[in-house]
Amino acid sequence: MLISVKNLKKEFKDGELTTEVLKGISFDIKKGEFVSIMGPSGSGKSTLMHILGFLDKLSFGNYFFEDNDVSNLSDFELARMRNQKVGFVFQSFNLLNRMTVLENVMLPLVYSKGFEGKKEERAKEILDQMGLSHRLDYLPNSISGGEKQRVAIARALVNNPEVIFADEPTGNLDSKSGFQVIKTLEKLNDDGNTIILVTHERITAEYADRIINIKDGFIVDDSLVVKRQRVAENQELIK
């Protein structure tokens, strides 16, 4: 099992005030799955992603990654796991505007022991897969929103992570660009990558094979997606 969460709880303290955000949730995610974590604003879905992606620590319960209990890792160990095991794609892209597309994608490799002597070659390889070989020397501000998100996906993939977290990846994009980004994630999943997509939109969540629905810190539904016919919809989006 790639990810296993047991009675996970997360609370935040502000003086004497304690706010419980995640209230005891449990689920498993297998390697190679495409899972959406869905819920309204304030439901706890982003907090959950931060814990699963080693950006934050749980308060109670257990989190197993590749069958290892990682619930109580130190900050240093969390940073190492982030660098080696996961890739992130964010709504706001999080690209550095003073660095070229190629330099942005190479960034995770700076702290990696892999691809020694081949970091630039590896970054170019991933950008080629994203159809961005013609943008290597461009700055992020000079490319489109859809291209920025594909650069962010390339950066997430460059370390060959075990899982890719996509947090509202279409939120800042128009319909056509958003559709292209989702199709890119689908293709990555078809190639064997584990994808965890965080979204508040049902239509986006349903591109995954499974939806974990969170409300008020609880899982209210965890079910497989019945794939809908999207031929007309897709044709409309790519016009």
Side-chain angles (χ1 to χ4, degrees):
M1 194 64 63
L2 180 64
I3 287 174
S4 185
V5 169
K6 307 294 184 185
N7 195 34
L8 185 150
K9 298 181 180 180
K10 177 63 178 180
E11 60 184 31
F12 295 95
K13 293 186 177 182
D14 183 8
E16 296 183 357
L17 177 64
T18 298
T19 302
E20 194 174 23
V21 178
L22 298 173
K23 303 173 182 178
I25 60 178
S26 302
F27 60 86
D28 298 326
I29 295 177
K30 297 177 182 178
K31 185 175 178 62
E33 278 197 88
F34 188 171
V35 179
S36 285
I37 298 176
M38 179 184 166
S41 178
S43 62
K45 64 184 185 300
S46 292
T47 298
L48 176 59
M49 188 204 75
H50 290 163
I51 293 171
L52 297 180
F54 307 106
L55 291 167
D56 199 359
K57 298 180 180 180
L58 53 80
S59 300
F60 304 98
N62 295 95
Y63 172 23
F64 296 88
F65 189 91
E66 296 181 319
D67 297 323
N68 297 309
D69 192 345
V70 295
S71 307
N72 298 303
L73 293 180
S74 66
D75 290 341
F76 174 80
E77 290 168 328
L78 286 174
R80 180 174 57 84
M81 291 291 284
R82 281 197 305 273
N83 182 254
Q84 296 180 358
K85 298 294 185 178
V86 302
F88 293 99
V89 181
F90 295 102
Q91 176 178 346
S92 56
F93 316 126
N94 288 3
L95 301 176
L96 298 180
N97 289 322
R98 293 185 178 181
M99 302 181 74
T100 66
V101 164
L102 178 61
E103 290 168 340
N104 268 279
V105 174
M106 287 178 62
L107 266 179
L109 298 177
V110 172
Y111 305 101
S112 173
K113 295 181 180 179
F115 307 103
E116 290 297 337
K118 297 183 178 181
K119 298 185 190 307
E120 183 173 326
E121 180 181 334
R122 171 62 177 171
K124 288 181 177 179
E125 174 190 354
I126 297 297
L127 283 164
D128 183 56
Q129 292 176 21
M130 294 294 108
L132 292 167
S133 293
H134 61 303
R135 298 296 196 212
L136 300 183
D137 297 324
Y138 282 64
L139 296 175
N141 282 339
S142 63
I143 62 177
S144 70
E147 287 175 327
K148 288 177 185 178
Q149 198 58 291
R150 281 188 284 146
V151 173
I153 292 172
R155 184 183 56 192
L157 282 170
V158 75
N159 261 348
N160 196 25
E162 293 298 325
V163 57
I164 298 168
F165 292 95
D167 188 8
E168 303 281 8
T170 63
N172 283 339
L173 304 177
D174 58 55
S175 296
K176 181 178 179 180
S177 298
F179 171 73
Q180 291 171 340
V181 166
I182 289 296
K183 296 305 289 184
T184 299
L185 294 176
E186 280 191 319
K187 175 62 166 57
L188 293 174
N189 180 244
D190 289 342
D191 291 341
N193 294 280
T194 306
I195 310 291
I196 299 178
L197 171 65
V198 178
T199 182
H200 68 281
E201 296 180 339
R202 185 85 195 180
I203 192 170
T204 302
E206 288 181 348
Y207 279 95
D209 298 315
R210 172 184 167 203
I211 298 176
I212 299 174
N213 203 328
I214 297 180
K215 184 177 181 180
D216 298 329
F218 295 100
I219 292 178
V220 294
D221 185 58
D222 183 350
S223 57
L224 298 178
V225 175
V226 178
K227 292 292 183 179
R228 301 182 303 173
Q229 289 293 330
R230 296 195 182 90
V231 176
E233 173 193 342
N234 292 352
Q235 289 176 341
E236 183 65 27
L237 286 174
I238 60 178
K239 284 182 180 178

